[in-house]
Amino acid sequence: MTAGFTKRSARHDPDFYAVEAAGLRWLAAAGPDAARMAHVVAVDEHSITLERLEPTRPDRRAAENFGRALAVTHAAGAAAFGQPPEGWAGDGYIGQQRMSMRPEEAWGRFYAEQRMMPYARKARDLEHLSSAASGQVERVAERLAAGEFDDERPVARIHGDLWSGNVLFTEVGVVLIDPAAHGGHGLTDLAMLHLFGAPHLEAITREYAEAADLPDGWVDLIGLHQLHPLLVHAVSHGPSYGAEAGRVAERYA
Protein backbone atom coordinates (compact mmCIF):
# COMPACT_ATOMS: atom_id res chain seq x y z
CA MET A 1 0.00 0.00 0.00
CA THR A 2 1.30 3.41 -0.99
CA ALA A 3 -0.06 6.89 -0.35
CA GLY A 4 -3.82 7.08 0.01
CA PHE A 5 -6.35 8.11 -2.62
CA THR A 6 -8.64 10.96 -1.59
CA LYS A 7 -12.12 11.68 -2.95
CA ARG A 8 -13.63 15.11 -2.40
CA SER A 9 -17.07 16.49 -3.08
CA ALA A 10 -18.78 19.86 -3.23
CA ARG A 11 -21.78 18.31 -1.51
CA HIS A 12 -22.87 19.88 1.76
CA ASP A 13 -24.20 16.66 3.28
CA PRO A 14 -21.96 16.13 6.31
CA ASP A 15 -22.76 12.40 6.44
CA PHE A 16 -22.04 11.58 2.78
CA TYR A 17 -18.56 10.16 3.32
CA ALA A 18 -19.12 9.08 6.91
CA VAL A 19 -21.73 6.49 5.93
CA GLU A 20 -19.47 5.24 3.14
CA ALA A 21 -16.67 4.73 5.65
CA ALA A 22 -19.02 2.97 8.07
CA GLY A 23 -20.15 0.68 5.27
CA LEU A 24 -16.62 -0.26 4.25
CA ARG A 25 -15.67 -1.05 7.83
CA TRP A 26 -18.83 -3.10 8.44
CA LEU A 27 -18.32 -5.13 5.29
CA ALA A 28 -14.65 -5.65 6.12
CA ALA A 29 -15.67 -6.96 9.55
CA ALA A 30 -17.30 -9.97 7.84
CA GLY A 31 -14.00 -11.77 8.36
CA PRO A 32 -10.71 -12.75 6.71
CA ASP A 33 -12.37 -15.01 4.12
CA ALA A 34 -14.91 -12.37 3.08
CA ALA A 35 -14.62 -9.99 0.15
CA ARG A 36 -11.86 -7.46 0.67
CA MET A 37 -12.81 -3.80 1.12
CA ALA A 38 -10.61 -0.79 0.52
CA HIS A 39 -9.14 0.31 3.84
CA VAL A 40 -10.35 3.69 5.13
CA VAL A 41 -7.36 5.89 5.97
CA ALA A 42 -9.28 9.03 6.94
CA VAL A 43 -12.73 10.59 6.56
CA ASP A 44 -14.31 13.97 7.27
CA GLU A 45 -17.31 16.00 6.10
CA HIS A 46 -15.74 16.84 2.74
CA SER A 47 -13.58 13.86 1.79
CA ILE A 48 -12.65 10.25 2.29
CA THR A 49 -9.14 8.82 1.88
CA LEU A 50 -8.75 5.15 1.00
CA GLU A 51 -5.69 3.01 0.59
CA ARG A 52 -4.22 3.38 -2.88
CA LEU A 53 -4.64 0.18 -4.86
CA GLU A 54 -2.64 -0.96 -7.88
CA PRO A 55 -4.95 -2.23 -10.64
CA THR A 56 -4.15 -5.35 -12.65
CA ARG A 57 -5.66 -7.17 -15.60
CA PRO A 58 -8.83 -9.02 -14.48
CA ASP A 59 -7.93 -12.62 -13.75
CA ARG A 60 -10.32 -15.60 -13.73
CA ARG A 61 -8.87 -17.06 -10.54
CA ALA A 62 -9.28 -13.72 -8.76
CA ALA A 63 -12.87 -13.61 -10.01
CA GLU A 64 -13.56 -17.10 -8.70
CA ASN A 65 -12.07 -16.21 -5.33
CA PHE A 66 -14.21 -13.09 -5.25
CA GLY A 67 -17.39 -15.06 -5.94
CA ARG A 68 -16.71 -17.30 -2.95
CA ALA A 69 -15.65 -14.37 -0.76
CA LEU A 70 -18.80 -12.41 -1.59
CA ALA A 71 -20.87 -15.34 -0.33
CA VAL A 72 -18.92 -15.18 2.96
CA THR A 73 -19.63 -11.44 3.25
CA HIS A 74 -23.34 -12.00 2.73
CA ALA A 75 -23.38 -14.84 5.24
CA ALA A 76 -22.04 -12.49 7.93
CA GLY A 77 -25.58 -11.17 8.01
CA ALA A 78 -27.36 -8.19 9.51
CA ALA A 79 -30.02 -7.68 12.15
CA ALA A 80 -32.78 -6.83 9.66
CA PHE A 81 -33.48 -5.89 6.08
CA GLY A 82 -32.63 -2.22 5.69
CA GLN A 83 -30.32 -2.36 8.71
CA PRO A 84 -27.59 0.30 8.37
CA PRO A 85 -23.92 -0.54 8.93
CA GLU A 86 -22.89 -1.15 12.51
CA GLY A 87 -22.18 2.12 14.26
CA TRP A 88 -24.35 4.12 11.86
CA ALA A 89 -27.85 5.47 12.45
CA GLY A 90 -30.01 7.04 9.78
CA ASP A 91 -30.14 6.90 6.02
CA GLY A 92 -27.38 6.49 3.47
CA TYR A 93 -26.77 7.03 -0.24
CA ILE A 94 -26.66 5.11 -3.45
CA GLY A 95 -24.51 7.14 -5.79
CA GLN A 96 -25.57 10.73 -5.17
CA GLN A 97 -29.12 9.88 -4.12
CA ARG A 98 -30.44 9.41 -0.62
CA MET A 99 -31.27 5.83 0.33
CA SER A 100 -33.55 4.84 3.18
CA MET A 101 -32.19 2.47 5.82
CA ARG A 102 -34.99 1.60 8.21
CA PRO A 103 -34.93 -1.93 9.65
CA GLU A 104 -37.73 -4.17 8.39
CA GLU A 105 -38.48 -7.81 9.17
CA ALA A 106 -39.77 -8.85 5.73
CA TRP A 107 -37.62 -8.51 2.61
CA GLY A 108 -40.51 -7.93 0.19
CA ARG A 109 -41.99 -5.04 2.13
CA PHE A 110 -38.55 -3.52 2.63
CA TYR A 111 -37.66 -3.81 -1.05
CA ALA A 112 -40.99 -2.41 -2.24
CA GLU A 113 -41.24 0.49 0.20
CA GLN A 114 -37.59 1.53 0.55
CA ARG A 115 -35.86 0.41 -2.65
CA MET A 116 -38.45 0.59 -5.43
CA MET A 117 -41.24 3.06 -4.83
CA PRO A 118 -39.27 6.13 -3.62
CA TYR A 119 -37.26 6.14 -6.87
CA ALA A 120 -40.27 5.20 -9.00
CA ARG A 121 -42.13 8.26 -7.67
CA LYS A 122 -39.16 10.54 -8.31
CA ALA A 123 -38.68 9.16 -11.82
CA ARG A 124 -42.37 9.59 -12.58
CA ASP A 125 -42.32 13.19 -11.32
CA LEU A 126 -39.37 13.87 -13.63
CA GLU A 127 -41.25 12.21 -16.51
CA HIS A 128 -38.51 9.60 -16.70
CA LEU A 129 -41.00 6.80 -15.93
CA SER A 130 -44.15 6.55 -18.05
CA SER A 131 -47.60 5.96 -16.61
CA ALA A 132 -47.63 2.46 -18.08
CA ALA A 133 -44.21 1.58 -16.66
CA SER A 134 -45.15 3.11 -13.32
CA GLY A 135 -48.23 0.89 -13.22
CA GLN A 136 -46.11 -2.21 -13.80
CA VAL A 137 -43.70 -1.19 -11.04
CA GLU A 138 -46.56 -0.55 -8.63
CA ARG A 139 -48.05 -3.98 -9.29
CA VAL A 140 -44.71 -5.63 -8.56
CA ALA A 141 -44.39 -3.57 -5.38
CA GLU A 142 -47.83 -4.76 -4.26
CA ARG A 143 -46.80 -8.40 -4.77
CA LEU A 144 -43.55 -7.78 -2.91
CA ALA A 145 -45.26 -6.09 0.02
CA ALA A 146 -47.70 -9.01 0.23
CA GLY A 147 -44.74 -11.35 0.73
CA GLU A 148 -45.11 -13.26 -2.55
CA PHE A 149 -41.37 -13.15 -3.24
CA ASP A 150 -40.15 -13.66 0.31
CA ASP A 151 -38.02 -16.73 0.96
CA GLU A 152 -36.32 -18.40 3.89
CA ARG A 153 -32.85 -17.01 3.25
CA PRO A 154 -31.41 -15.00 6.16
CA VAL A 155 -30.65 -11.31 5.93
CA ALA A 156 -27.40 -10.76 4.03
CA ARG A 157 -24.71 -8.16 4.64
CA ILE A 158 -24.64 -6.61 1.16
CA HIS A 159 -22.49 -4.06 -0.62
CA GLY A 160 -25.59 -2.50 -2.16
CA ASP A 161 -23.99 -0.78 -5.19
CA LEU A 162 -22.03 -3.61 -6.73
CA TRP A 163 -21.55 -2.52 -10.31
CA SER A 164 -18.25 -3.27 -12.05
CA GLY A 165 -16.79 0.19 -11.37
CA ASN A 166 -16.79 -0.65 -7.68
CA VAL A 167 -15.10 -4.04 -8.24
CA LEU A 168 -11.35 -3.48 -8.58
CA PHE A 169 -9.00 -6.21 -9.75
CA THR A 170 -5.72 -5.49 -8.01
CA GLU A 171 -2.39 -7.15 -7.26
CA VAL A 172 -3.93 -8.50 -4.02
CA GLY A 173 -7.12 -9.75 -5.68
CA VAL A 174 -10.54 -8.14 -6.00
CA VAL A 175 -11.13 -5.15 -3.71
CA LEU A 176 -14.46 -3.34 -3.36
CA ILE A 177 -15.11 0.38 -2.99
CA ASP A 178 -18.05 2.82 -2.74
CA PRO A 179 -20.66 0.68 -0.96
CA ALA A 180 -24.26 1.46 -0.14
CA ALA A 181 -24.02 -1.20 2.55
CA HIS A 182 -27.05 -2.47 4.46
CA GLY A 183 -28.94 -5.60 5.39
CA GLY A 184 -30.54 -6.99 2.25
CA HIS A 185 -30.89 -10.01 -0.02
CA GLY A 186 -27.69 -11.48 -1.45
CA LEU A 187 -29.18 -11.70 -4.95
CA THR A 188 -29.33 -7.91 -5.03
CA ASP A 189 -25.54 -7.66 -5.25
CA LEU A 190 -25.36 -10.42 -7.84
CA ALA A 191 -28.15 -8.82 -9.86
CA MET A 192 -26.32 -5.50 -10.13
CA LEU A 193 -23.21 -7.25 -11.40
CA HIS A 194 -25.38 -8.89 -14.06
CA LEU A 195 -27.10 -5.62 -14.94
CA PHE A 196 -23.96 -3.70 -15.79
CA GLY A 197 -21.54 -6.56 -16.45
CA ALA A 198 -18.19 -7.44 -14.88
CA PRO A 199 -14.99 -9.21 -15.96
CA HIS A 200 -15.30 -12.99 -15.71
CA LEU A 201 -18.91 -12.66 -14.59
CA GLU A 202 -19.64 -16.33 -15.28
CA ALA A 203 -16.83 -17.38 -12.94
CA ILE A 204 -17.97 -15.00 -10.20
CA THR A 205 -21.55 -16.20 -10.51
CA ARG A 206 -20.72 -19.91 -10.58
CA GLU A 207 -18.54 -19.75 -7.49
CA TYR A 208 -20.96 -17.49 -5.62
CA ALA A 209 -23.96 -19.69 -6.39
CA GLU A 210 -22.17 -22.80 -5.13
CA ALA A 211 -20.76 -21.14 -2.02
CA ALA A 212 -24.06 -19.46 -1.15
CA ASP A 213 -26.04 -22.64 -1.90
CA LEU A 214 -28.54 -20.78 -4.08
CA PRO A 215 -31.79 -22.67 -4.67
CA ASP A 216 -33.09 -23.80 -8.04
CA GLY A 217 -34.75 -21.01 -9.97
CA TRP A 218 -32.67 -18.19 -8.53
CA VAL A 219 -31.72 -16.96 -12.02
CA ASP A 220 -35.39 -16.16 -12.73
CA LEU A 221 -35.37 -13.62 -9.89
CA ILE A 222 -32.37 -11.59 -11.06
CA GLY A 223 -34.59 -9.08 -12.87
CA LEU A 224 -36.64 -8.47 -9.73
CA HIS A 225 -33.48 -7.45 -7.89
CA GLN A 226 -32.43 -5.21 -10.78
CA LEU A 227 -35.49 -3.00 -10.42
CA HIS A 228 -33.89 -0.94 -7.68
CA PRO A 229 -30.78 0.13 -9.65
CA LEU A 230 -32.87 0.61 -12.80
CA LEU A 231 -35.21 2.98 -10.96
CA VAL A 232 -32.30 4.79 -9.32
CA HIS A 233 -30.81 5.31 -12.79
CA ALA A 234 -34.18 6.38 -14.15
CA VAL A 235 -34.04 9.28 -11.70
CA SER A 236 -30.45 10.28 -12.42
CA HIS A 237 -29.86 9.14 -16.02
CA GLY A 238 -33.16 9.52 -17.80
CA PRO A 239 -36.16 7.79 -19.35
CA SER A 240 -34.29 4.96 -21.10
CA TYR A 241 -33.76 3.40 -17.68
CA GLY A 242 -37.39 4.05 -16.80
CA ALA A 243 -38.48 2.19 -19.93
CA GLU A 244 -36.22 -0.74 -19.06
CA ALA A 245 -37.59 -0.78 -15.51
CA GLY A 246 -41.09 -1.04 -16.95
CA ARG A 247 -40.12 -3.93 -19.22
CA VAL A 248 -38.46 -5.81 -16.36
CA ALA A 249 -41.33 -5.12 -13.96
CA GLU A 250 -43.80 -6.57 -16.47
CA ARG A 251 -42.20 -9.99 -15.97
CA TYR A 252 -43.05 -9.97 -12.26
CA ALA A 253 -46.33 -8.06 -12.24
Side-chain angles (χ1 to χ4, degrees):
M1 185 176 71
T2 58
F5 171 76
T6 300
K7 296 189 299 179
R8 302 183 189 280
S9 173
R11 293 183 67 105
H12 296 293
D13 303 354
D15 58 351
F16 184 71
Y17 287 121
V19 67
E20 177 182 340
L24 285 167
R25 290 166 176 150
W26 184 57
L27 293 167
D33 295 327
R36 177 169 174 170
M37 304 295 141
H39 174 68
V40 179
V41 176
V43 62
D44 60 32
E45 292 185 7
H46 306 290
S47 68
I48 186 170
T49 300
L50 305 177
E51 63 175 306
R52 186 173 292 277
L53 299 160
E54 297 300 328
T56 62
R57 179 184 293 275
D59 173 81
R60 178 172 293 275
R61 179 170 293 182
E64 291 171 344
N65 291 339
F66 168 58
R68 293 189 294 270
L70 183 63
V72 173
T73 299
H74 289 170
F81 296 106
Q83 181 72 32
E86 184 175 347
W88 185 258
D91 292 338
Y93 298 85
I94 182 162
Q96 298 291 311
Q97 297 185 55
R98 274 281 183 180
M99 187 179 76
S100 172
M101 292 197 289
R102 299 190 308 274
E104 171 66 56
E105 182 177 350
W107 176 76
R109 182 174 296 280
F110 154 73
Y111 192 69
E113 296 180 354
Q114 297 190 52
R115 292 296 174 266
M116 282 179 55
M117 291 312 300
Y119 304 98
R121 295 186 191 102
K122 290 179 184 178
R124 186 179 58 210
D125 291 346
L126 292 167
E127 299 184 350
H128 292 176
L129 187 69
S130 69
S131 295
S134 178
Q136 298 285 9
V137 169
E138 288 176 5
R139 282 188 284 277
V140 177
E142 289 171 359
R143 293 190 66 194
L144 282 158
E148 294 184 35
F149 295 100
D150 287 349
D151 56 32
E152 300 301 317
R153 296 186 71 82
V155 184
R157 184 176 304 197
I158 69 172
H159 179 281
D161 194 9
L162 200 62
W163 71 289
S164 60
N166 291 338
V167 179
L168 307 182
F169 284 79
T170 79
E171 57 188 2
V172 296
V174 171
V175 181
L176 304 184
I177 60 171
D178 294 356
H182 61 279
H185 196 297
L187 282 183
T188 299
D189 274 348
L190 200 62
M192 190 173 288
L193 283 175
H194 278 254
L195 180 61
F196 296 110
H200 302 296
L201 182 56
E202 286 187 16
I204 295 170
T205 301
R206 181 184 65 249
E207 296 299 322
Y208 176 86
E210 180 177 347
D213 193 23
L214 293 183
D216 293 342
W218 67 267
V219 173
D220 296 333
L221 296 174
I222 285 291
L224 183 67
H225 291 262
Q226 290 173 339
L227 284 171
H228 175 224
L230 284 170
L231 290 166
V232 169
H233 278 70
V235 175
S236 58
H237 289 74
S240 64
Y241 284 100
E244 181 63 17
R247 287 190 289 269
V248 172
E250 187 176 8
R251 291 159 33 199
Y252 302 97

